[in-house]
Amino acid sequence: TFMLQRVSFFFFLLIGMANPALAQLNNRVFQDAQTIHEADSGKLYLGMNTLGFFKNNEYFRTIVDGYTLYGYQFQPVVSYHLTKNIRIDAGGYFQKDFGNNKFTTSAPVFTFKWQKKAYSVIFGNLEGSLNHNLIEPLYDFERVLNNRLETGTQLKLNREDLFVDMWIDWQYMQYWRDTRQEQLVAGLSLQKRIAKIGQGELSIPFQVVSRHQGGQLDIAGLPIQTLVNYAAGIQWKQNLEGRINGITVNGFYVYDKDITKTRQAYIDGDGLYANATVSTRFGLNVMASYWSAREFMAFDGGPTYQAVSTFDNNRIQPRPNLMIFRFLYDYKLTDKLYLSLRYEPYFDLSFKTFQYSYGLYVNYRDRYFLTQRKK
């Protein structure tokens, strides 16, 4: 039964915490937080943020069809540090998918950021996407490749013992007699360290994201919809010295609900997500994950975790059950340039099939000094 799966899940988690031999997966090379330093006050920079990507999903006989993502992203910005606490960025974002003669995305970007010690407020283009540190059942890694821009307001607290990220991403602005509903996503990502023992840390992560579609100006004739996804868990992280330099074991209980009870196959669902990862000083991370769910649906989550296919609503697997392995290698070419390789096989225990994906990514992020305000 699903209750027995829950008991087995937490038993596995406690064993892993008592005798860790595995580490935490992270996407740091894909994150693009905008730093503020007192020494940059009054300075003007030209910033470059580029990503070349190739991800091939070899998926067959499951609720997810195989497909390939292949192209590059280019984001030049002019960054002015108005004071020691304020930074303003303005520029453009361009994405080109190979095999398409046009840019798939071209948009202006503008960010106002105020920072005081560990606190920051952001308006405009957010430090979004993988910067939120959401788990994959709630937020698909591929969104950094095809839908990474977020606009709205964000509040952050980033201390050694506490990470808090609250944001509103306004995704569609509605106008008079619009044919579409307005759409926004609000979220909270929190991780609190509750104990530090030697080189080990015990922490509690909590995540919630909600999408609302509605408004009063449209002529779409659709009911209001509000969806909420939750994740709460526990994590043990062990820092080590030597070839293996980090071990993390974590587990989450995940829940979703359609508050307005409209337009979804299931009103609610839940799942269990356990991870154990080992990281090495050579840049290689190896991760094993287990996913077991009941009628779970997340609007921005990875497609392999869902009970209903994102390609075809008639393809349903009410109880997805996956064993996932990940091999991730980040190679530092220079301080600003990283090459990443990923191989991610998984066993779909519900469909009794073996699936896999692999990818290659090139991240380059740098800035160039232009001038300084005269005193």
Side-chain angles (χ1 to χ4, degrees), residues 69-115:
L69 302 173
Y70 199 9
Y72 66 85
Q73 300 167 358
F74 175 60
Q75 183 175 332
V77 295
V78 174
S79 175
Y80 180 54
H81 295 250
L82 184 63
T83 70
K84 66 179 182 180
N85 303 116
I86 297 175
R87 168 176 171 166
I88 300 173
D89 287 36
Y93 173 88
F94 307 93
Q95 176 160 332
K96 181 71 167 60
D97 292 340
F98 295 162
N100 185 346
N101 292 330
K102 300 179 180 179
F103 282 105
T104 48
T105 304
S106 57
V109 292
F110 173 85
T111 300
F112 173 90
K113 181 175 181 178
W114 172 87
Q115 179 176 299

Side-chain angles (χ1 to χ4, degrees), residues 26 87 104 139 147 155 162 181 188 230 239 257 326 345:
N26 65 70
R87 168 176 171 166
T104 48
Y139 190 90
N147 195 9
L155 306 175
L162 178 62
Q181 293 179 307
L188 166 66
Y230 305 90
N239 296 314
K257 187 172 181 63
R326 296 182 176 93

Side-chain angles (χ1 to χ4, degrees), residues 105-239:
T105 304
S106 57
V109 292
F110 173 85
T111 300
F112 173 90
K113 181 175 181 178
W114 172 87
Q115 179 176 299
K116 187 67 176 283
K117 295 183 179 179
Y119 299 89
S120 58
V121 179
I122 299 170
F123 178 85
N125 287 93
L126 308 182
E127 294 177 359
S129 191
L130 300 179
N131 294 279
H132 296 311
N133 293 326
L134 298 173
I135 60 173
E136 273 210 332
L138 266 58
Y139 190 90
D140 185 15
F141 165 80
E142 290 184 0
R143 290 181 65 83
V144 80
L145 308 180
N146 54 32
N147 195 9
R148 75 184 297 169
L149 291 184
E150 298 177 16
T151 51
T153 305
Q154 186 173 24
L155 306 175
K156 298 184 73 173
L157 169 61
N158 197 356
R159 294 199 318 241
E160 183 179 357
D161 65 329
L162 178 62
F163 170 80
V164 180
D165 184 0
M166 297 183 292
W167 72 95
I168 295 177
D169 172 26
W170 202 276
Q171 297 184 338
Y172 185 78
M173 175 62 71
Q174 185 183 86
Y175 298 96
W176 174 247
R177 298 190 64 79
D178 209 318
T179 57
R180 294 174 58 184
Q181 293 179 307
E182 71 178 12
Q183 179 170 302
L184 63 99
V185 169
L188 166 66
S189 177
L190 180 151
Q191 182 155 324
K192 170 61 178 173
R193 187 179 71 194
I194 59 175
K196 185 176 176 62
I197 305 171
Q199 295 297 311
E201 297 180 3
L202 181 65
S203 60
I204 297 177
F206 175 76
Q207 303 172 0
V208 56
V209 286
S210 176
R211 186 179 72 187
H212 175 76
Q213 294 175 271
Q216 298 175 277
L217 303 180
D218 65 276
I219 56 174
L222 297 173
I224 293 174
Q225 184 184 58
T226 301
L227 309 175
V228 187
N229 303 150
Y230 305 90
I234 187 169
Q235 174 173 287
W236 175 261
K237 180 179 180 180
Q238 183 73 40
N239 296 314

Side-chain angles (χ1 to χ4, degrees), residues 1-2 4-10 12-13 22 135 137 250-254 271-277 287-294 304-305 319-326 345-350:
T1 66
F2 194 65
L4 287 176
Q5 289 179 332
R6 294 183 187 183
V7 173
S8 300
F9 166 84
F10 285 107
F12 161 79
L13 180 60
L22 301 164
I135 60 173
N250 57 35
F252 294 84
Y253 173 71
V254 185
L272 302 171
Y273 186 51
N275 304 283
T277 315
M287 180 176 183
S289 303
Y290 177 69
W291 169 251
S292 180
R294 175 193 59 83
T304 58
Y305 300 90
R319 293 184 177 270
N321 196 7
L322 309 175
M323 180 61 73
I324 309 165
F325 299 92
R326 296 182 176 93
Y346 76 89
F347 295 93
D348 191 317
L349 303 177
S350 299

Side-chain angles (χ1 to χ4, degrees), residues 323-362:
M323 180 61 73
I324 309 165
F325 299 92
R326 296 182 176 93
F327 302 88
L328 307 102
Y329 179 65
D330 295 325
Y331 181 68
K332 182 179 178 181
L333 296 168
T334 71
D335 287 340
K336 310 297 182 180
L337 180 63
Y338 282 85
L339 173 67
S340 299
L341 302 173
R342 296 192 170 193
Y343 175 61
E344 302 174 76
Y346 76 89
F347 295 93
D348 191 317
L349 303 177
S350 299
F351 284 95
K352 296 181 174 58
T353 59
F354 171 77
Q355 316 289 337
Y356 67 95
S357 68
Y358 54 89
L360 183 149
Y361 311 92
V362 180

